[in-house]
């Protein structure tokens, strides 16, 4: 009979302990992605964006690596998958790594030896029957937001993503 009482008494205590651990703020913060919860804190980048995979403290303006304790007052913990650390200030530039537009079939090939026409940028590509085109306007994109390594602008506001041939 004594063993049953110990098991019975131990069950509620261990359940409370598990609930307390699951509801603690570090676990909750670990689930929050900075670039999902605060998209304006992150820049778009290509699929080869640097990988950081770290907990950060975000104060509404700047993210820094989280220490072993809680974040300072006025900031909250979040996860950054892609990012780079400024070696002088310790500030983190977080990135949203976008899929490559060429890998998704949106690129035209340049003649061999011709350089890419422009710097890389995030683009909105909308498949048929929407428009079948890409634009630089990603703020209200109803298609896919992708990374275009080089593009040429057209007169109608669309762009052509280009790939080296």
């Amino acid at each position: 009979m004594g063993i049953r009482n110990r098991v019975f008494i131990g069950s509620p205590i261990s359940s409370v302990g598990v609930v307390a651990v699951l509801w603690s703020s570090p676990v909750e913060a670990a689930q929050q992605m900075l670039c999902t919860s605060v998209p304006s804190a992150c820049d778009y980048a290509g699929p080869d964006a640097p990988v950081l995979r770290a907990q950060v403290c975000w104060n509404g303006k700047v993210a820094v690596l989280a220490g072993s304790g809680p974040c300072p007052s006025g900031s909250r913990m979040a996860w950054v998958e892609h990012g780079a650390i400024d070696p002088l200030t310790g500030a983190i530039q977080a990135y949203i790594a976008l899929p490559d537009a060429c890998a998704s079939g949106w690129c035209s090939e340049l003649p061999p030896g011709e350089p890419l026409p422009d710097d890389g940028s995030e683009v909105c590509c909308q498949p048929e029957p929407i428009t079948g085109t890409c634009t630089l306007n990603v703020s209200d994109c109803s298609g896919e937001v992708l990374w275009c390594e080089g593009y040429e602008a057209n007169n109608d506001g669309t762009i052509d993503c280009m790939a080296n041939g």
Side-chain angles (χ1 to χ4, degrees):
M1 198 63 153
I3 293 175
R4 278 191 181 164
N5 287 341
R6 287 184 191 148
V7 172
F8 180 75
I9 292 171
S11 289
I13 293 170
S14 62
S15 298
V16 170
V18 169
V19 169
V21 168
L22 291 176
W23 287 98
S24 64
S25 63
V27 172
E28 190 175 299
Q31 303 302 322
Q32 196 139 78
M33 305 276 294
L34 180 64
C35 293
T36 304
S37 61
V38 187
S40 62
C42 304
D43 287 339
Y44 287 116
D48 58 349
V51 175
L52 183 62
R53 289 191 182 127
Q55 290 284 1
V56 301
C57 293
W58 170 251
N59 69 6
K61 294 181 182 175
V62 177
V64 296
L65 285 176
S68 57
C71 288
S73 178
S75 63
R76 64 182 175 97
M77 196 173 286
W79 179 259
V80 171
E81 184 70 21
H82 296 275
I85 303 169
D86 183 316
L88 298 176
T89 65
I92 293 172
Q93 176 55 63
Y95 297 111
I96 299 170
L98 297 174
D100 181 48
C102 294
S104 298
W106 288 98
C107 290
S108 301
E109 281 197 25
L110 288 169
E114 191 173 324
L116 289 173
D118 205 339
D119 291 335
S121 181
E122 64 272 14
V123 297
C124 174
C125 296
Q126 301 178 31
E128 296 290 349
I130 301 170
T131 63
T133 60
C134 296
T135 67
L136 295 175
N137 183 13
V138 298
S139 61
D140 61 351
C141 182
S142 59
E144 285 185 278
V145 178
L146 303 168
W147 184 259
C148 182
E149 194 59 44
Y151 61 88
E152 291 180 345
N154 299 317
N155 292 335
D156 63 357
T158 63
I159 56 115
D160 291 325
C161 289
M162 306 303 283
N164 285 326

